[in-house]
Amino acid sequence: MSNPIYELKIYSPVLLAGAFIVCITGAWITMRLVSRISETHGMQRAGWYLMAAVAGSSFVWCTHFAAMLAYHSGVMGHLAPGRTALSLLVIFAAIPCAVAAAVRLKGRRGSLVGGGILGLGIASMHYVGMEAYRLDVPVNWNMPLVALSILIGMALSAVALELARRPVNLRREIEMTVAMAGAVAGLHFTGMAAMHLVMQQHMRSMPDNDQFQMIGFAVIGGSLLTIITGIASFVIDGSLREESYGELHRMAMSDALTGLPNRISFRERLTEEVSMADALGRSFAVIGIDLNKFKEINDTRGHAAGDIVLTTLAERFCALLGEGEFVARLGGDEFVAIHRMVDDGELHGFVDRIQLALNEPIPIENYTVASGGSIGVAVYPTDGTDCETLISRADLAMYRAKIDLHQTVWFYESSLDQNVRERRALGEDLKRAMAEGQLSLFYQVQTVVATGKVAGYEALLRWDHPTRGSVPPLEILDLADENGLVIQLGEWVLEQACRTALGWDSDICVAVNMSAAQFLEPRFAETVQAVLERTGLPAGRLMIELTEETVQCDHPRALTMARRVHDLGVRLALDQFGGKHSVLSALSDFPFDKIKLDRLVMQRAETDPSIAELVRAVTIAGHALHMSVLVQGIETGAHLALVSSGGCDEGQGFLFGTPMRTIMSEMAPAGNKEDLRGVQSAPHFIPRFESPGIRYETI
């Protein structure tokens, strides 16, 4: 009997190279997928578990079989299908279990447990796969090498998992890829070294099975396709993540409503501007912008209108920006801008552009609003050498502009600090006074002149400040407006007045003044009704006083609200009639020679006796002020009779003639009249309509 011969391990270089490519590529993508698992949660993590199991089992199994099939045994052999499939299932189950242990268990313990599971999985896959590779010769195993192969797989798997759990960079990627590839390749080739074929002398010339070579190439190809799929998924997810992070960063640095940079972005830009100014020895300005009527627009028109104002102004600000200029929205109705300075004139030009954008009317549906704004300017390094000081001083200047009735732009001055701080402190005191009940109402009697009987009382607001003493009512209202307390204060006054009036005689009324912001607030009528219900005061005993300024602020809205309040039974009074903002005041102050009553007055006078009396009253007032009175829109004999009886001086309307392109003079030469052929002739006044003292116009 011939002596047995142990074979020399010889491998196909092409298949071995393919196995090496699969091993390195598969190890890299598997470890990157493991890193992604540790970064995600929920269903997304479950998806990455599945992808890691597919890519990992594919590369481990294919590396093993490609390298195994690359081995030239010199004898015939075949693969057992069942065991071959089992080897794949073993590693497919082992990888997610190993990764789960590494991710869920804290510290190195997780890496050691996960590495042990993964190493055992690779070893099980390898030796089950070797058992599926049936050769027609006996096989002897070197058990110490078998044990060493398993230890290599476990140790390097633990290292790879530990590295995958740490923050990923290029070096870390290389390290964990080498560790994972080493675990697979080290276990495989150590295990192959532990296998010895026992062949007889006559078996040395037996040919290899070429089918195994073809299977090896197919395995490599299929594995690469699976790995490429994993890489594609990883790359797509990475791209989506970058886009998501970019979008999140944009959202974090931008104002959601206007799209302008937000407070965080402004702080970053301001820090950059300070550094640049220091390096280049330049100056720049911080410009604080606060809208003057934004709260009023919000209260009277609703938040949707306020949003349109903000977005419109944001678009205008963006359109006016030039090089070295920046604008952001800090929140609410506050904006801030930065302007790199070359000279003072350029800065003033930028501020003028901002003012123009603020003051230009803003169309909203079928009406327009003009918000206007207050602007405060602080210059670096003159007014401050750090970000906080600059912002604070621009804010102080802006606040000073806001409380100034004549100037909407203020440049910071050192004297502003004390004045503005006192004003802000007083605003805080008002909030505290409202909360602690320091405000009170005084009542001024309203008497029937003819009889001396008390008709009612007007509620007047008073504030006895602990240190300043009595604060004037107008200053209280200004402070309330500056601090957003007007509506809250108005509701308090209304309720207190109604409660007090409930204790008076049943025929005595209480009058309460209302600001435009409160009266035009969409739910004002509901507020009045709720106060009357809570206090029990009859609606007829409440008088709401409105100024002409309130009525003219938004005439259609004011008219609608007046009708709603009047329908509750509440009475309305026109306050400050003849005051400095009144039309009556304009009649006495301006050197007018004539008053022209609008044609709409005449149209209404025909059916409304009260309007007819108004025409007579205006005529009397005009004559008292030495002005003539002209009535427009006289179209019928009834119109003419009305203005005649009222004493009006002049009339205008279709009754006397229609508008003409040219007026012919009775004194014009005959030749000129011939030139006007086809043009409507001058009207002839009808004698029966003429009335002493009235002159008629046809324009």
Side-chain angles (χ1 to χ4, degrees):
M1 184 174 182
S2 60
N3 294 327
I5 300 174
Y6 291 95
E7 87 290 358
L8 180 66
K9 298 292 190 299
I10 301 174
Y11 291 89
S12 166
V14 177
L15 276 179
L16 204 59
F20 178 77
I21 293 171
V22 168
C23 186
I24 294 297
T25 309
W28 171 74
I29 189 59
T30 300
M31 287 297 97
R32 293 299 282 121
L33 293 171
V34 171
S35 297
R36 187 56 50 83
I37 289 171
S38 64
E39 298 169 356
T40 55
H41 302 278
M43 292 302 296
Q44 191 177 13
R45 172 175 281 188
W48 289 119
Y49 269 123
L50 178 61
M51 186 60 69
V54 171
S57 61
S58 174
F59 104 83
V60 173
W61 187 82
C62 291
T63 298
H64 163 74
F65 269 88
M68 183 183 72
L69 296 175
Y71 165 55
H72 291 279
S73 64
V75 296
M76 297 296 293
H78 65 278
L79 291 172
R83 291 180 183 272
T84 301
L86 178 61
S87 66
L88 178 60
L89 291 175
V90 167
I91 190 62
F92 184 81
I95 287 178
C97 293
V99 176
V103 170
R104 293 178 181 276
L105 298 177
K106 304 297 183 183
R108 292 185 178 179
R109 177 168 167 260
S111 299
L112 291 173
V113 173
I117 295 172
L118 183 55
L120 290 174
I122 297 172
S124 299
M125 181 280 306
H126 175 82
Y127 290 109
V128 171
M130 292 304 298
E131 180 65 22
Y133 184 34
R134 302 291 178 83
L135 298 172
D136 295 338
V137 295
V139 178
N140 287 340
W141 292 94
N142 184 332
M143 297 311 296
L145 284 180
V146 170
L148 179 61
S149 70
I150 296 173
L151 288 175
I152 290 173
M154 294 173 66
L156 291 179
S157 294
V159 172
L161 290 174
E162 176 66 21
L163 293 170
R165 292 172 56 193
R166 298 177 184 178
V168 177
N169 53 42
L170 180 59
R171 179 181 174 182
R172 190 83 65 222
E173 283 194 52
I174 295 173
E175 290 173 346
M176 66 187 184
T177 300
V178 170
M180 189 67 233
V184 175
L187 188 150
H188 175 84
F189 288 105
T190 304
M192 290 297 290
M195 183 185 75
H196 297 287
L197 302 182
V198 183
M199 298 187 295
Q200 300 299 322
Q201 189 69 33
H202 67 280
M203 298 178 181
R204 296 190 61 172
S205 60
M206 284 185 173
D208 283 333
N209 190 344
D210 291 335
Q211 287 184 333
F212 283 0
Q213 302 292 317
M214 299 305 297
I215 293 173
F217 287 122
V219 166
I220 291 172
S223 176
L224 287 174
L225 287 175
T226 305
I227 292 170
I228 289 170
T229 302
I231 293 173
S233 299
F234 180 80
V235 169
I236 291 170
D237 179 70
S239 176
L240 290 174
R241 279 178 167 238
E242 286 185 7
E243 291 178 5
S244 298
Y245 288 147
E247 181 63 17
L248 287 173
H249 182 267
R250 187 195 66 76
M251 292 172 64
M253 303 297 284
S254 301
D255 175 57
L257 176 64
T258 63
L260 290 176
N262 61 9
R263 186 182 297 272
I264 299 172
S265 184
F266 165 69
R267 293 275 182 167
E268 287 190 2
R269 177 62 178 263
L270 184 58
T271 303
E272 293 173 5
E273 292 293 335
V274 169
S275 300
M276 187 182 302
D278 287 341
L280 301 177
R282 293 181 177 176
S283 299
F284 68 90
V286 174
I287 300 102
I289 307 163
D290 189 82
L291 307 189
N292 287 343
K293 297 181 180 179
F294 182 72
K295 191 173 190 310
E296 180 182 322
I297 293 169
N298 253 348
D299 292 339
T300 59
R301 296 289 185 178
H303 290 284
D307 290 347
I308 292 174
V309 169
L310 293 174
T311 53
T312 302
L313 289 177
E315 291 172 1
R316 291 178 183 174
F317 290 153
C318 289
L320 63 82
L321 292 180
E323 185 178 356
E325 295 172 346
F326 173 88
V327 67
R329 181 189 176 209
L330 301 184
D333 61 343
E334 289 187 58
F335 296 84
V336 66
I338 294 174
H339 172 80
R340 290 181 198 154
M341 291 178 59
V342 176
D343 55 52
D344 290 345
E346 196 176 28
L347 173 58
H348 284 282
F350 180 62
V351 172
D352 289 343
R353 281 182 275 149
I354 292 175
Q355 272 194 298
L356 184 63
L358 289 170
N359 294 328
E360 187 178 346
I362 298 171
I364 303 177
E365 295 178 353
N366 58 345
Y367 58 92
T368 59
V369 298
S371 175
S374 302
I375 299 173
V377 184
V379 177
Y380 179 90
T382 306
D383 299 328
T385 56
D386 61 85
C387 296
E388 294 301 326
T389 303
L390 274 174
I391 294 171
S392 174
R393 290 181 172 175
D395 192 46
L396 284 172
M398 179 186 71
Y399 188 79
R400 181 65 181 85
K402 197 168 186 68
I403 63 177
D404 194 307
L405 298 177
H406 307 291
Q407 192 170 333
T408 58
V409 178
W410 270 83
F411 286 74
Y412 174 78
E413 300 170 357
S414 58
S415 60
L416 288 178
D417 286 355
Q418 186 61 31
N419 295 335
V420 172
R421 286 195 183 99
E422 289 179 0
R423 186 72 175 181
R424 286 185 170 178
L426 195 57
E428 293 300 318
D429 289 347
L430 177 59
K431 293 179 184 178
R432 192 160 40 253
M434 291 175 63
E436 297 176 359
Q438 295 178 13
L439 301 179
S440 59
L441 293 181
F442 280 48
Y443 298 90
Q444 186 171 27
V445 66
Q446 296 174 334
T447 306
V448 178
V449 175
T451 63
K453 182 181 178 182
V454 174
Y457 293 90
E458 180 181 2
L460 302 174
L461 183 61
R462 294 290 184 270
W463 178 18
D464 189 15
H465 192 276
T467 58
R468 290 190 48 177
S470 179
V471 180
L474 288 179
E475 188 171 0
I476 299 174
L477 294 177
D478 287 342
L479 285 169
D481 185 44
E482 292 167 16
N483 292 273
L485 302 172
V486 169
I487 292 178
Q488 182 182 347
L489 180 61
E491 290 181 7
W492 179 84
V493 170
L494 181 63
E495 181 145 355
Q496 292 301 313
C498 289
R499 289 191 185 281
T500 302
L502 199 61
W504 302 339
D505 291 343
S506 59
D507 59 343
I508 297 178
C509 298
V510 63
V512 181
N513 294 284
M514 284 296 148
S515 66
Q518 184 164 21
F519 184 73
L520 298 178
E521 197 270 326
R523 294 188 55 81
F524 177 70
E526 287 78 1
T527 299
V528 172
Q529 186 175 18
V531 168
L532 293 174
E533 290 174 355
R534 284 197 301 269
T535 60
L537 184 73
R541 293 182 59 193
L542 174 63
M543 178 82 73
I544 300 293
E545 297 190 353
L546 309 172
T547 63
E548 282 187 82
E549 189 177 11
T550 297
V551 173
Q552 294 168 0
C553 175
D554 187 339
H555 186 273
R557 196 178 188 87
L559 179 59
T560 300
M561 186 58 68
R563 287 171 175 167
R564 289 177 60 191
V565 172
H566 202 262
D567 288 343
L568 297 176
V570 176
R571 297 193 290 168
L572 299 174
L574 182 60
D575 193 18
Q576 298 179 9
F577 184 67
K580 62 180 180 178
H581 298 297
S582 172
V583 173
L584 189 60
S585 177
L587 286 177
S588 61
D589 292 342
F590 285 79
F592 293 125
D593 297 306
K594 181 187 294 185
I595 300 172
K596 293 183 69 174
L597 284 176
D598 191 80
R599 60 188 301 274
L600 295 178
V601 175
M602 184 51 52
Q603 290 178 1
R604 294 177 61 188
E606 194 171 16
T607 57
D608 190 341
S610 62
I611 301 298
E613 291 299 322
L614 179 63
V615 173
R616 295 186 179 93
V618 170
T619 302
I620 294 171
H623 290 165
L625 295 171
H626 308 291
M627 301 177 192
S628 63
V629 179
L630 182 150
V631 181
Q632 302 179 86
I634 299 177
E635 300 176 358
T636 66
H639 290 168
L640 182 60
L642 173 63
V643 299
S644 298
S645 63
C648 293
D649 301 291
E650 302 175 17
Q652 176 179 327
F654 291 133
L655 178 66
F656 309 126
T658 57
M660 299 179 301
R661 183 184 306 168
T662 305
I663 301 297
M664 290 192 302
S665 171
E666 293 298 330
M667 301 299 295
N672 289 348
K673 293 184 180 181
E674 290 297 323
D675 293 338
L676 297 175
R677 287 190 300 266
V679 177
Q680 180 181 356
S681 61
H684 297 280
F685 298 128
I686 305 174
R688 66 176 182 275
F689 288 146
E690 291 183 354
S691 177
I694 296 183
R695 181 167 59 87
Y696 306 108
E697 297 184 0
T698 59
I699 298 173

